[in-house]
Amino acid sequence: MNIALKSPLTAEHDIPAYSPSGQECALFESAWVRQLPLLLKGPTGCGKTRFVAHMAARLGLPLATVSCHDDLAAADLTGRYLLKGGDTVWVDGPLTRAVREGGICYLDEIVEARKDVAVVLHPLTDDRRILPLERTGEVLEAPPGFMLVVSYNPGYQNLLKTLKPSTRQRFVAIEFDFLPRDREIAVVSEESGLDEARVAPLVDLAHRLRALKGHDLEEGVSTRLIVYCASLVDSGLSLRDAVIATMIEPLADEPDVKAALIEVADAIIR
């Protein structure tokens, strides 16, 4: 199968910016060529969703993104019968549309979805590449232009929300993490407009707070939050106020934990 990449001369401005940390772009393209499903693993806000958007635009593919949640059922992905103008009609869900028409269907935080979702995905993630629709009696064969991509955060699971080994082993997997310090500084500066010298202490603070994950914090500071912080500073907000609003308050609710985090922040950004 040939891949038609967008011309960098005519469509580069349409491709979301992404800074590779390894061979993930080449691996994604190889999985696309070989019609293999892809699993992205990594902490919240490390660039998984941006990566998928970047690759979809780079390959010139339609992209359907579904943010999974506790109430997301298989029918939300495949479709259901609805009343329209007095008639009962079948309406495809985002997964079914992608299988019919081609393109990438991206299920973000797949472990948050209900258990029946994995059952629907299984026949799409082996050599059959089919989507049975029990309610319509159809069995859709995924075209060569269809790709399934899912993601989850392994560090944010509990016993009730895990991805079974039988499901994980159906995917090619890429592990993501936050960028090295200098690369993250460059990315945040480019995204926010704040110069790198002023971004550097924000990234240093984020690295310090990430080290507290699993102790005082459930999650570390994402690159996304650093960009938000730098953007507020670039807009004229004081550094301390921006840090509290973007890198302290989103991470904790307990007053004593927030006070401790602010103390750490003051030692770094003063």
Side-chain angles (χ1 to χ4, degrees), residues 66 68-80 90-96 107 110 113-121 131-135:
V66 179
C68 299
H69 52 79
D70 290 343
D71 294 326
L72 185 79
D76 296 312
L77 297 179
T78 57
R80 51 172 50 93
W90 174 261
V91 178
D92 285 342
L95 178 63
T96 301
L107 308 182
I110 184 65
R114 285 167 46 172
K115 298 296 184 182
D116 61 338
V117 168
V119 176
V120 170
L121 299 183
L131 178 62
L133 299 176
E134 293 183 4
R135 295 187 179 183

Side-chain angles (χ1 to χ4, degrees), residues 184-198:
E184 192 166 30
I185 289 172
V187 167
V188 172
S189 178
E190 181 178 354
E191 292 278 327
S192 66
L194 192 66
D195 66 84
E196 293 191 8
R198 300 178 71 191

Side-chain angles (χ1 to χ4, degrees), residues 202 205 225-226 228-234 236-250 269:
L202 301 180
L205 173 59
L225 285 178
I226 309 175
Y228 290 170
C229 185
S231 298
L232 292 178
V233 173
D234 190 57
L237 195 67
S238 74
L239 180 59
R240 191 173 190 272
D241 287 342
V243 165
I244 291 174
T246 60
M247 300 172 70
I248 305 297
E249 291 291 350
I269 65 174

Side-chain angles (χ1 to χ4, degrees), residues 57-71:
R58 178 170 165 175
L59 296 169
L61 298 172
L63 172 62
T65 298
V66 179
S67 297
C68 299
H69 52 79
D70 290 343
D71 294 326

Side-chain angles (χ1 to χ4, degrees), residues 78-142:
T78 57
R80 51 172 50 93
Y81 283 103
L82 299 175
L83 284 174
K84 284 192 175 182
D87 296 324
T88 302
V89 298
W90 174 261
V91 178
D92 285 342
L95 178 63
T96 301
R97 286 196 299 272
V99 172
R100 289 192 196 276
E101 302 168 9
I104 297 172
C105 184
Y106 173 48
L107 308 182
D108 186 23
E109 294 297 342
I110 184 65
V111 295
E112 297 294 333
R114 285 167 46 172
K115 298 296 184 182
D116 61 338
V117 168
V119 176
V120 170
L121 299 183
H122 280 186
L124 272 174
T125 53
D126 57 30
D127 57 353
R128 292 173 292 173
R129 280 175 56 89
I130 61 172
L131 178 62
L133 299 176
E134 293 183 4
R135 295 187 179 183
T136 66
E138 296 176 271
V139 177
L140 304 181
E141 293 188 12

Side-chain angles (χ1 to χ4, degrees), residues 160-260:
L160 298 178
K161 291 183 178 181
T162 61
L163 202 58
K164 293 182 178 180
S166 60
T167 299
R168 289 202 307 269
Q169 292 184 29
R170 292 172 176 270
F171 292 85
V172 174
I174 305 176
E175 185 167 8
F176 284 72
D177 204 346
F178 297 112
L179 291 170
R181 179 181 182 274
D182 291 347
R183 296 274 301 286
E184 192 166 30
I185 289 172
V187 167
V188 172
S189 178
E190 181 178 354
E191 292 278 327
S192 66
L194 192 66
D195 66 84
E196 293 191 8
R198 300 178 71 191
V199 167
L202 301 180
V203 171
D204 290 339
L205 173 59
H207 280 238
R208 179 72 178 273
L209 296 180
R210 287 167 187 166
L212 300 176
K213 180 180 176 181
H215 300 283
D216 294 327
L217 299 177
E218 290 185 354
E219 280 289 336
V221 177
S222 67
T223 302
R224 182 188 302 119
L225 285 178
I226 309 175
V227 172
Y228 290 170
C229 185
S231 298
L232 292 178
V233 173
D234 190 57
S235 297
L237 195 67
S238 74
L239 180 59
R240 191 173 190 272
D241 287 342
V243 165
I244 291 174
T246 60
M247 300 172 70
I248 305 297
E249 291 291 350
L251 298 184
D253 295 320
E254 298 80 3
D256 55 336
V257 174
K258 288 194 291 185

